């Protein structure tokens, strides 16, 4: 069965079991394809104390401005129990017009589609009048410490200057062309510990029960309106994920209670201002209690690329290829675009996200080819001025 270069490359990438942070040959596949048409490539390994080493790829063709970058990742989440898959999660089988396998949608299909679009452009025109580049990491599904953030710093130190970037995250909800991400909410985790005094339930005056206090704090934070949303963002939301006392004795007043939460926040907030607000709400809810609040480090900040000429160029390409006018959205989780926005305007557009991180993850063959066509039109128009 004949298949397009984008689909063939997608299948080749899926067959690399690159569960984060392992590369398993995935970057070799991308590098080989790009080098074949003249891309200059660099493999850069970054490490950090207590975290795994991560292999990254930077590739470029052409020089100077304008500089269009594509950013993505070849690492994937674990497949889970292979017996629950229709096919081997790393076999890249095609059935019912879909390619099955871990990473098909998130996001090996998009990496393959952009690579195929770039190869086609170079074969037709040669090197662009400007720069076309790839920033590909194996760290996006993990702690995101030794991947894109350091690759960007490395590229800047070499003198690279990016004008615009597309990230191939699976942005579309159900149909190719229905959504472009122009920003993302930030993420902040928090841990609360209420310290009481253990004692016998028959003598409450000799103890200090932290259970009612943690309940007051949970209710106060859950009911607190952080904001009303902004022009491009939904309102920020705080959600508790666990409340723990761990007391197995029914006749003992516990000595402490704990709770953990996550906040997805919009561009009203920074990490510091949000931490201050949370501490304020806790003080008001439990003014005399012994409460400790901890915020683990986070690099998930809120960001926005305000619509402009580049956004319109991508919208036009999506509309021309798919027939759909995409919604501009900031919904969903975090992505490596949060790092890239510090270097240039960045948009996210990829495949649909219906099956990402799930058993039987798959991508429509027609969507992979359609995405390649969108990327190809973006590249053509971008370098046509």
């Amino acid at each position: 069965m004949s298949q397009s270069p984008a689909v063939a490359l997608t299948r080749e990438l899926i067959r690399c079991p690159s569960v984060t942070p392992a590369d398993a040959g995935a970057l070799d596949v991308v590098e080989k394809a790009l080098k074949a048409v003249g891309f200059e490539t660099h493999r850069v390994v970054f490490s950090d104390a207590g975290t795994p080493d991560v292999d990254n790829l930077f590739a470029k063709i052409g020089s100077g401005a304008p500089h269009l970058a594509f950013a993505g990742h070849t690492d994937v989440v674990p497949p889970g129990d292979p017996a629950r898959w229709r096919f081997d999660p790393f076999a890249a089988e095609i059935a019912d017009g879909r390619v099955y396998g871990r990473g098909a949608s998130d996001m090996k299909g998009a990496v393959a589609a952009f690579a195929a679009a770039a190869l086609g452009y170079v074969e037709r025109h040669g090197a662009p009048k400007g720069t076309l580049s790839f920033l590909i990491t194996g760290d996006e599904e993990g702690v995101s410490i030794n991947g894109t953030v350091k690759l960007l710093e490395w590229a800047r130190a070499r003198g690279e200057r990016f004008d615009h970037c597309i990230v191939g995250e699976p942005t579309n909800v159900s149909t190719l062309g229905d959504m472009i991400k122009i920003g993302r909410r930030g993420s902040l985790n928090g841990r609360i510990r209420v310290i009481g005094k253990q004692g016998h339930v028959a003598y409450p005056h000799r103890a200090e029960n932290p259970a009612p206090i943690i309940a007051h704090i949970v209710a106060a934070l859950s009911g607190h309106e952080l904001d009303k949303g902004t022009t491009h963002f939904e309102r920020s939301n705080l959600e508790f994920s666990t409340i723990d006392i761990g007391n197995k004795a029914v006749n003992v007043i516990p000595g402490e209670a704990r709770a953990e939460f996550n906040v997805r926040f919009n561009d009203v907030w920074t990490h510091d201002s949000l931490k201050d607000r949370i501490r304020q709400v806790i003080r008001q809810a439990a003014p005399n209690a012994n409460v400790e609040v901890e915020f683990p480090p986070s690099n998930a900040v809120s960001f926005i690329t305000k619509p402009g000429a580049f956004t319109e160029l991508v919208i036009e390409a999506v509309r021309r290829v798919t027939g759909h006018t995409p919604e501009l959205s900031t919904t969903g989780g975090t992505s490596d675009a949060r790092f890239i926005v510090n270097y240039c305007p960045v948009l996210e557009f990829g495949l649909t996200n219906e099956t990402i991180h799930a058993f039987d993850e798959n991508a429509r063959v027609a969507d992979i080819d359609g995405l390649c066509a969108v990327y190809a039109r973006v590249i053509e128009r971008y370098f046509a001025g």
Side-chain angles (χ1 to χ4, degrees), residues 134-155:
F134 286 76
L135 295 153
I136 309 297
T137 184
D139 190 34
E140 197 274 346
E141 298 290 6
V143 293
S144 298
I145 291 175
N146 295 320
T148 299
V149 62
K150 289 185 177 179
L151 189 59
L152 287 162
E153 293 169 355
W154 174 88

mmCIF file with all atom_site columns, all heavy atoms in Angstrom, residues 134-155:
data_model
loop_
_atom_site.group_PDB
_atom_site.id
_atom_site.type_symbol
_atom_site.label_atom_id
_atom_site.label_alt_id
_atom_site.label_comp_id
_atom_site.label_asym_id
_atom_site.label_entity_id
_atom_site.label_seq_id
_atom_site.pdbx_PDB_ins_code
_atom_site.Cartn_x
_atom_site.Cartn_y
_atom_site.Cartn_z
_atom_site.occupancy
_atom_site.B_iso_or_equiv
_atom_site.pdbx_formal_charge
_atom_site.auth_seq_id
_atom_site.auth_comp_id
_atom_site.auth_asym_id
_atom_site.auth_atom_id
_atom_site.pdbx_PDB_model_num
ATOM 1   N N   . PHE A 1 134 ? 14.271 23.399 13.144 1.00 0.00 ? 134 PHE A N   1
ATOM 2   C CA  . PHE A 1 134 ? 13.556 22.445 13.991 1.00 0.00 ? 134 PHE A CA  1
ATOM 3   C C   . PHE A 1 134 ? 14.182 22.452 15.381 1.00 0.00 ? 134 PHE A C   1
ATOM 4   O O   . PHE A 1 134 ? 15.410 22.402 15.526 1.00 0.00 ? 134 PHE A O   1
ATOM 5   C CB  . PHE A 1 134 ? 13.656 21.027 13.421 1.00 0.00 ? 134 PHE A CB  1
ATOM 6   C CG  . PHE A 1 134 ? 12.809 20.781 12.210 1.00 0.00 ? 134 PHE A CG  1
ATOM 7   C CD1 . PHE A 1 134 ? 13.186 21.272 10.971 1.00 0.00 ? 134 PHE A CD1 1
ATOM 8   C CD2 . PHE A 1 134 ? 11.633 20.049 12.312 1.00 0.00 ? 134 PHE A CD2 1
ATOM 9   C CE1 . PHE A 1 134 ? 12.413 21.045 9.848  1.00 0.00 ? 134 PHE A CE1 1
ATOM 10  C CE2 . PHE A 1 134 ? 10.849 19.804 11.191 1.00 0.00 ? 134 PHE A CE2 1
ATOM 11  C CZ  . PHE A 1 134 ? 11.232 20.308 9.958  1.00 0.00 ? 134 PHE A CZ  1
ATOM 12  N N   . LEU A 1 135 ? 13.336 22.502 16.394 1.00 0.00 ? 135 LEU A N   1
ATOM 13  C CA  . LEU A 1 135 ? 13.736 22.345 17.794 1.00 0.00 ? 135 LEU A CA  1
ATOM 14  C C   . LEU A 1 135 ? 12.984 21.129 18.326 1.00 0.00 ? 135 LEU A C   1
ATOM 15  O O   . LEU A 1 135 ? 11.797 21.207 18.662 1.00 0.00 ? 135 LEU A O   1
ATOM 16  C CB  . LEU A 1 135 ? 13.355 23.584 18.608 1.00 0.00 ? 135 LEU A CB  1
ATOM 17  C CG  . LEU A 1 135 ? 14.047 24.900 18.245 1.00 0.00 ? 135 LEU A CG  1
ATOM 18  C CD1 . LEU A 1 135 ? 13.163 26.088 18.598 1.00 0.00 ? 135 LEU A CD1 1
ATOM 19  C CD2 . LEU A 1 135 ? 15.389 25.014 18.964 1.00 0.00 ? 135 LEU A CD2 1
ATOM 20  N N   . ILE A 1 136 ? 13.649 19.981 18.390 1.00 0.00 ? 136 ILE A N   1
ATOM 21  C CA  . ILE A 1 136 ? 12.978 18.740 18.764 1.00 0.00 ? 136 ILE A CA  1
ATOM 22  C C   . ILE A 1 136 ? 13.614 18.196 20.036 1.00 0.00 ? 136 ILE A C   1
ATOM 23  O O   . ILE A 1 136 ? 14.826 18.013 20.120 1.00 0.00 ? 136 ILE A O   1
ATOM 24  C CB  . ILE A 1 136 ? 13.085 17.680 17.648 1.00 0.00 ? 136 ILE A CB  1
ATOM 25  C CG1 . ILE A 1 136 ? 12.651 18.273 16.304 1.00 0.00 ? 136 ILE A CG1 1
ATOM 26  C CG2 . ILE A 1 136 ? 12.229 16.468 18.014 1.00 0.00 ? 136 ILE A CG2 1
ATOM 27  C CD1 . ILE A 1 136 ? 11.208 18.715 16.230 1.00 0.00 ? 136 ILE A CD1 1
ATOM 28  N N   . THR A 1 137 ? 12.780 17.911 21.039 1.00 0.00 ? 137 THR A N   1
ATOM 29  C CA  . THR A 1 137 ? 13.270 17.449 22.326 1.00 0.00 ? 137 THR A CA  1
ATOM 30  C C   . THR A 1 137 ? 12.737 16.064 22.655 1.00 0.00 ? 137 THR A C   1
ATOM 31  O O   . THR A 1 137 ? 11.764 15.595 22.054 1.00 0.00 ? 137 THR A O   1
ATOM 32  C CB  . THR A 1 137 ? 12.870 18.424 23.451 1.00 0.00 ? 137 THR A CB  1
ATOM 33  O OG1 . THR A 1 137 ? 13.448 17.989 24.686 1.00 0.00 ? 137 THR A OG1 1
ATOM 34  C CG2 . THR A 1 137 ? 11.363 18.487 23.616 1.00 0.00 ? 137 THR A CG2 1
ATOM 35  N N   . GLY A 1 138 ? 13.376 15.437 23.640 1.00 0.00 ? 138 GLY A N   1
ATOM 36  C CA  . GLY A 1 138 ? 12.884 14.176 24.169 1.00 0.00 ? 138 GLY A CA  1
ATOM 37  C C   . GLY A 1 138 ? 12.469 14.311 25.613 1.00 0.00 ? 138 GLY A C   1
ATOM 38  O O   . GLY A 1 138 ? 12.466 13.340 26.363 1.00 0.00 ? 138 GLY A O   1
ATOM 39  N N   . ASP A 1 139 ? 12.065 15.513 26.016 1.00 0.00 ? 139 ASP A N   1
ATOM 40  C CA  . ASP A 1 139 ? 11.847 15.821 27.439 1.00 0.00 ? 139 ASP A CA  1
ATOM 41  C C   . ASP A 1 139 ? 10.487 16.453 27.722 1.00 0.00 ? 139 ASP A C   1
ATOM 42  O O   . ASP A 1 139 ? 10.216 16.840 28.846 1.00 0.00 ? 139 ASP A O   1
ATOM 43  C CB  . ASP A 1 139 ? 12.959 16.788 27.895 1.00 0.00 ? 139 ASP A CB  1
ATOM 44  C CG  . ASP A 1 139 ? 12.997 17.009 29.397 1.00 0.00 ? 139 ASP A CG  1
ATOM 45  O OD1 . ASP A 1 139 ? 12.705 16.073 30.137 1.00 0.00 ? 139 ASP A OD1 1
ATOM 46  O OD2 . ASP A 1 139 ? 13.325 18.120 29.822 1.00 0.00 ? 139 ASP A OD2 1
ATOM 47  N N   . GLU A 1 140 ? 9.606  16.545 26.738 1.00 0.00 ? 140 GLU A N   1
ATOM 48  C CA  . GLU A 1 140 ? 8.371  17.303 26.951 1.00 0.00 ? 140 GLU A CA  1
ATOM 49  C C   . GLU A 1 140 ? 7.396  16.572 27.869 1.00 0.00 ? 140 GLU A C   1
ATOM 50  O O   . GLU A 1 140 ? 6.700  17.204 28.661 1.00 0.00 ? 140 GLU A O   1
ATOM 51  C CB  . GLU A 1 140 ? 7.704  17.594 25.603 1.00 0.00 ? 140 GLU A CB  1
ATOM 52  C CG  . GLU A 1 140 ? 6.667  18.709 25.660 1.00 0.00 ? 140 GLU A CG  1
ATOM 53  C CD  . GLU A 1 140 ? 5.275  18.241 26.063 1.00 0.00 ? 140 GLU A CD  1
ATOM 54  O OE1 . GLU A 1 140 ? 5.013  17.018 26.048 1.00 0.00 ? 140 GLU A OE1 1
ATOM 55  O OE2 . GLU A 1 140 ? 4.436  19.100 26.399 1.00 0.00 ? 140 GLU A OE2 1
ATOM 56  N N   . GLU A 1 141 ? 7.324  15.257 27.757 1.00 0.00 ? 141 GLU A N   1
ATOM 57  C CA  . GLU A 1 141 ? 6.388  14.490 28.574 1.00 0.00 ? 141 GLU A CA  1
ATOM 58  C C   . GLU A 1 141 ? 6.929  14.219 29.973 1.00 0.00 ? 141 GLU A C   1
ATOM 59  O O   . GLU A 1 141 ? 6.251  13.620 30.798 1.00 0.00 ? 141 GLU A O   1
ATOM 60  C CB  . GLU A 1 141 ? 6.046  13.158 27.892 1.00 0.00 ? 141 GLU A CB  1
ATOM 61  C CG  . GLU A 1 141 ? 5.358  13.278 26.538 1.00 0.00 ? 141 GLU A CG  1
ATOM 62  C CD  . GLU A 1 141 ? 3.933  13.794 26.627 1.00 0.00 ? 141 GLU A CD  1
ATOM 63  O OE1 . GLU A 1 141 ? 3.498  14.180 27.738 1.00 0.00 ? 141 GLU A OE1 1
ATOM 64  O OE2 . GLU A 1 141 ? 3.261  13.827 25.586 1.00 0.00 ? 141 GLU A OE2 1
ATOM 65  N N   . GLY A 1 142 ? 8.155  14.647 30.239 1.00 0.00 ? 142 GLY A N   1
ATOM 66  C CA  . GLY A 1 142 ? 8.756  14.449 31.552 1.00 0.00 ? 142 GLY A CA  1
ATOM 67  C C   . GLY A 1 142 ? 8.807  15.738 32.336 1.00 0.00 ? 142 GLY A C   1
ATOM 68  O O   . GLY A 1 142 ? 7.854  16.525 32.344 1.00 0.00 ? 142 GLY A O   1
ATOM 69  N N   . VAL A 1 143 ? 9.960  15.977 32.963 1.00 0.00 ? 143 VAL A N   1
ATOM 70  C CA  . VAL A 1 143 ? 10.076 17.130 33.852 1.00 0.00 ? 143 VAL A CA  1
ATOM 71  C C   . VAL A 1 143 ? 10.351 18.425 33.103 1.00 0.00 ? 143 VAL A C   1
ATOM 72  O O   . VAL A 1 143 ? 10.326 19.504 33.689 1.00 0.00 ? 143 VAL A O   1
ATOM 73  C CB  . VAL A 1 143 ? 11.186 16.894 34.902 1.00 0.00 ? 143 VAL A CB  1
ATOM 74  C CG1 . VAL A 1 143 ? 10.787 15.776 35.840 1.00 0.00 ? 143 VAL A CG1 1
ATOM 75  C CG2 . VAL A 1 143 ? 12.518 16.563 34.224 1.00 0.00 ? 143 VAL A CG2 1
ATOM 76  N N   . SER A 1 144 ? 10.638 18.348 31.813 1.00 0.00 ? 144 SER A N   1
ATOM 77  C CA  . SER A 1 144 ? 10.847 19.536 30.978 1.00 0.00 ? 144 SER A CA  1
ATOM 78  C C   . SER A 1 144 ? 11.949 20.440 31.521 1.00 0.00 ? 144 SER A C   1
ATOM 79  O O   . SER A 1 144 ? 11.818 21.664 31.540 1.00 0.00 ? 144 SER A O   1
ATOM 80  C CB  . SER A 1 144 ? 9.540  20.333 30.840 1.00 0.00 ? 144 SER A CB  1
ATOM 81  O OG  . SER A 1 144 ? 8.551  19.567 30.202 1.00 0.00 ? 144 SER A OG  1
ATOM 82  N N   . ILE A 1 145 ? 13.039 19.819 31.945 1.00 0.00 ? 145 ILE A N   1
ATOM 83  C CA  . ILE A 1 145 ? 14.186 20.572 32.454 1.00 0.00 ? 145 ILE A CA  1
ATOM 84  C C   . ILE A 1 145 ? 15.341 20.558 31.462 1.00 0.00 ? 145 ILE A C   1
ATOM 85  O O   . ILE A 1 145 ? 15.992 21.583 31.237 1.00 0.00 ? 145 ILE A O   1
ATOM 86  C CB  . ILE A 1 145 ? 14.647 19.996 33.813 1.00 0.00 ? 145 ILE A CB  1
ATOM 87  C CG1 . ILE A 1 145 ? 13.594 20.286 34.885 1.00 0.00 ? 145 ILE A CG1 1
ATOM 88  C CG2 . ILE A 1 145 ? 16.003 20.559 34.221 1.00 0.00 ? 145 ILE A CG2 1
ATOM 89  C CD1 . ILE A 1 145 ? 13.896 19.659 36.231 1.00 0.00 ? 145 ILE A CD1 1
ATOM 90  N N   . ASN A 1 146 ? 15.590 19.410 30.841 1.00 0.00 ? 146 ASN A N   1
ATOM 91  C CA  . ASN A 1 146 ? 16.752 19.247 29.969 1.00 0.00 ? 146 ASN A CA  1
ATOM 92  C C   . ASN A 1 146 ? 16.387 19.214 28.495 1.00 0.00 ? 146 ASN A C   1
ATOM 93  O O   . ASN A 1 146 ? 17.119 18.637 27.684 1.00 0.00 ? 146 ASN A O   1
ATOM 94  C CB  . ASN A 1 146 ? 17.506 17.969 30.352 1.00 0.00 ? 146 ASN A CB  1
ATOM 95  C CG  . ASN A 1 146 ? 18.099 18.053 31.737 1.00 0.00 ? 146 ASN A CG  1
ATOM 96  O OD1 . ASN A 1 146 ? 18.616 19.094 32.125 1.00 0.00 ? 146 ASN A OD1 1
ATOM 97  N ND2 . ASN A 1 146 ? 18.005 16.975 32.493 1.00 0.00 ? 146 ASN A ND2 1
ATOM 98  N N   . GLY A 1 147 ? 15.260 19.832 28.156 1.00 0.00 ? 147 GLY A N   1
ATOM 99  C CA  . GLY A 1 147 ? 14.799 19.831 26.785 1.00 0.00 ? 147 GLY A CA  1
ATOM 100 C C   . GLY A 1 147 ? 14.731 21.210 26.165 1.00 0.00 ? 147 GLY A C   1
ATOM 101 O O   . GLY A 1 147 ? 15.748 21.915 26.056 1.00 0.00 ? 147 GLY A O   1
ATOM 102 N N   . THR A 1 148 ? 13.540 21.627 25.783 1.00 0.00 ? 148 THR A N   1
ATOM 103 C CA  . THR A 1 148 ? 13.349 22.844 25.005 1.00 0.00 ? 148 THR A CA  1
ATOM 104 C C   . THR A 1 148 ? 13.928 24.083 25.671 1.00 0.00 ? 148 THR A C   1
ATOM 105 O O   . THR A 1 148 ? 14.546 24.925 25.015 1.00 0.00 ? 148 THR A O   1
ATOM 106 C CB  . THR A 1 148 ? 11.852 23.057 24.723 1.00 0.00 ? 148 THR A CB  1
ATOM 107 O OG1 . THR A 1 148 ? 11.358 21.946 23.963 1.00 0.00 ? 148 THR A OG1 1
ATOM 108 C CG2 . THR A 1 148 ? 11.612 24.340 23.954 1.00 0.00 ? 148 THR A CG2 1
ATOM 109 N N   . VAL A 1 149 ? 13.748 24.212 26.976 1.00 0.00 ? 149 VAL A N   1
ATOM 110 C CA  . VAL A 1 149 ? 14.219 25.420 27.653 1.00 0.00 ? 149 VAL A CA  1
ATOM 111 C C   . VAL A 1 149 ? 15.732 25.581 27.500 1.00 0.00 ? 149 VAL A C   1
ATOM 112 O O   . VAL A 1 149 ? 16.233 26.689 27.234 1.00 0.00 ? 149 VAL A O   1
ATOM 113 C CB  . VAL A 1 149 ? 13.794 25.415 29.144 1.00 0.00 ? 149 VAL A CB  1
ATOM 114 C CG1 . VAL A 1 149 ? 14.400 24.256 29.904 1.00 0.00 ? 149 VAL A CG1 1
ATOM 115 C CG2 . VAL A 1 149 ? 14.138 26.736 29.803 1.00 0.00 ? 149 VAL A CG2 1
ATOM 116 N N   . LYS A 1 150 ? 16.471 24.488 27.609 1.00 0.00 ? 150 LYS A N   1
ATOM 117 C CA  . LYS A 1 150 ? 17.931 24.572 27.464 1.00 0.00 ? 150 LYS A CA  1
ATOM 118 C C   . LYS A 1 150 ? 18.353 24.611 25.999 1.00 0.00 ? 150 LYS A C   1
ATOM 119 O O   . LYS A 1 150 ? 19.364 25.234 25.655 1.00 0.00 ? 150 LYS A O   1
ATOM 120 C CB  . LYS A 1 150 ? 18.590 23.392 28.184 1.00 0.00 ? 150 LYS A CB  1
ATOM 121 C CG  . LYS A 1 150 ? 18.502 23.496 29.701 1.00 0.00 ? 150 LYS A CG  1
ATOM 122 C CD  . LYS A 1 150 ? 19.276 22.385 30.392 1.00 0.00 ? 150 LYS A CD  1
ATOM 123 C CE  . LYS A 1 150 ? 19.226 22.567 31.895 1.00 0.00 ? 150 LYS A CE  1
ATOM 124 N NZ  . LYS A 1 150 ? 19.955 21.488 32.617 1.00 0.00 ? 150 LYS A NZ  1
ATOM 125 N N   . LEU A 1 151 ? 17.580 23.969 25.135 1.00 0.00 ? 151 LEU A N   1
ATOM 126 C CA  . LEU A 1 151 ? 17.905 24.002 23.711 1.00 0.00 ? 151 LEU A CA  1
ATOM 127 C C   . LEU A 1 151 ? 17.762 25.423 23.168 1.00 0.00 ? 151 LEU A C   1
ATOM 128 O O   . LEU A 1 151 ? 18.555 25.868 22.334 1.00 0.00 ? 151 LEU A O   1
ATOM 129 C CB  . LEU A 1 151 ? 16.993 23.043 22.946 1.00 0.00 ? 151 LEU A CB  1
ATOM 130 C CG  . LEU A 1 151 ? 17.329 22.798 21.472 1.00 0.00 ? 151 LEU A CG  1
ATOM 131 C CD1 . LEU A 1 151 ? 18.731 22.241 21.313 1.00 0.00 ? 151 LEU A CD1 1
ATOM 132 C CD2 . LEU A 1 151 ? 16.301 21.853 20.844 1.00 0.00 ? 151 LEU A CD2 1
ATOM 133 N N   . LEU A 1 152 ? 16.767 26.155 23.642 1.00 0.00 ? 152 LEU A N   1
ATOM 134 C CA  . LEU A 1 152 ? 16.598 27.547 23.242 1.00 0.00 ? 152 LEU A CA  1
ATOM 135 C C   . LEU A 1 152 ? 17.774 28.402 23.717 1.00 0.00 ? 152 LEU A C   1
ATOM 136 O O   . LEU A 1 152 ? 18.279 29.255 22.975 1.00 0.00 ? 152 LEU A O   1
ATOM 137 C CB  . LEU A 1 152 ? 15.289 28.097 23.804 1.00 0.00 ? 152 LEU A CB  1
ATOM 138 C CG  . LEU A 1 152 ? 14.005 27.604 23.142 1.00 0.00 ? 152 LEU A CG  1
ATOM 139 C CD1 . LEU A 1 152 ? 12.799 27.867 24.038 1.00 0.00 ? 152 LEU A CD1 1
ATOM 140 C CD2 . LEU A 1 152 ? 13.807 28.275 21.785 1.00 0.00 ? 152 LEU A CD2 1
ATOM 141 N N   . GLU A 1 153 ? 18.199 28.184 24.952 1.00 0.00 ? 153 GLU A N   1
ATOM 142 C CA  . GLU A 1 153 ? 19.346 28.935 25.469 1.00 0.00 ? 153 GLU A CA  1
ATOM 143 C C   . GLU A 1 153 ? 20.595 28.627 24.658 1.00 0.00 ? 153 GLU A C   1
ATOM 144 O O   . GLU A 1 153 ? 21.388 29.532 24.341 1.00 0.00 ? 153 GLU A O   1
ATOM 145 C CB  . GLU A 1 153 ? 19.566 28.576 26.944 1.00 0.00 ? 153 GLU A CB  1
ATOM 146 C CG  . GLU A 1 153 ? 18.447 29.042 27.871 1.00 0.00 ? 153 GLU A CG  1
ATOM 147 C CD  . GLU A 1 153 ? 18.561 28.453 29.264 1.00 0.00 ? 153 GLU A CD  1
ATOM 148 O OE1 . GLU A 1 153 ? 19.465 27.601 29.478 1.00 0.00 ? 153 GLU A OE1 1
ATOM 149 O OE2 . GLU A 1 153 ? 17.768 28.826 30.137 1.00 0.00 ? 153 GLU A OE2 1
ATOM 150 N N   . TRP A 1 154 ? 20.781 27.346 24.332 1.00 0.00 ? 154 TRP A N   1
ATOM 151 C CA  . TRP A 1 154 ? 21.937 26.929 23.533 1.00 0.00 ? 154 TRP A CA  1
ATOM 152 C C   . TRP A 1 154 ? 21.906 27.593 22.155 1.00 0.00 ? 154 TRP A C   1
ATOM 153 O O   . TRP A 1 154 ? 22.929 28.099 21.674 1.00 0.00 ? 154 TRP A O   1
ATOM 154 C CB  . TRP A 1 154 ? 21.912 25.411 23.402 1.00 0.00 ? 154 TRP A CB  1
ATOM 155 C CG  . TRP A 1 154 ? 22.940 24.828 22.492 1.00 0.00 ? 154 TRP A CG  1
ATOM 156 C CD1 . TRP A 1 154 ? 24.210 24.453 22.818 1.00 0.00 ? 154 TRP A CD1 1
ATOM 157 C CD2 . TRP A 1 154 ? 22.780 24.547 21.096 1.00 0.00 ? 154 TRP A CD2 1
ATOM 158 N NE1 . TRP A 1 154 ? 24.853 23.952 21.714 1.00 0.00 ? 154 TRP A NE1 1
ATOM 159 C CE2 . TRP A 1 154 ? 24.000 23.996 20.637 1.00 0.00 ? 154 TRP A CE2 1
ATOM 160 C CE3 . TRP A 1 154 ? 21.727 24.692 20.186 1.00 0.00 ? 154 TRP A CE3 1
ATOM 161 C CZ2 . TRP A 1 154 ? 24.196 23.602 19.319 1.00 0.00 ? 154 TRP A CZ2 1
ATOM 162 C CZ3 . TRP A 1 154 ? 21.917 24.299 18.874 1.00 0.00 ? 154 TRP A CZ3 1
ATOM 163 C CH2 . TRP A 1 154 ? 23.134 23.769 18.443 1.00 0.00 ? 154 TRP A CH2 1
ATOM 164 N N   . ALA A 1 155 ? 20.724 27.623 21.524 1.00 0.00 ? 155 ALA A N   1
ATOM 165 C CA  . ALA A 1 155 ? 20.603 28.220 20.195 1.00 0.00 ? 155 ALA A CA  1
ATOM 166 C C   . ALA A 1 155 ? 20.868 29.726 20.243 1.00 0.00 ? 155 ALA A C   1
ATOM 167 O O   . ALA A 1 155 ? 21.540 30.279 19.360 1.00 0.00 ? 155 ALA A O   1
ATOM 168 C CB  . ALA A 1 155 ? 19.215 27.947 19.623 1.00 0.00 ? 155 ALA A CB  1
#
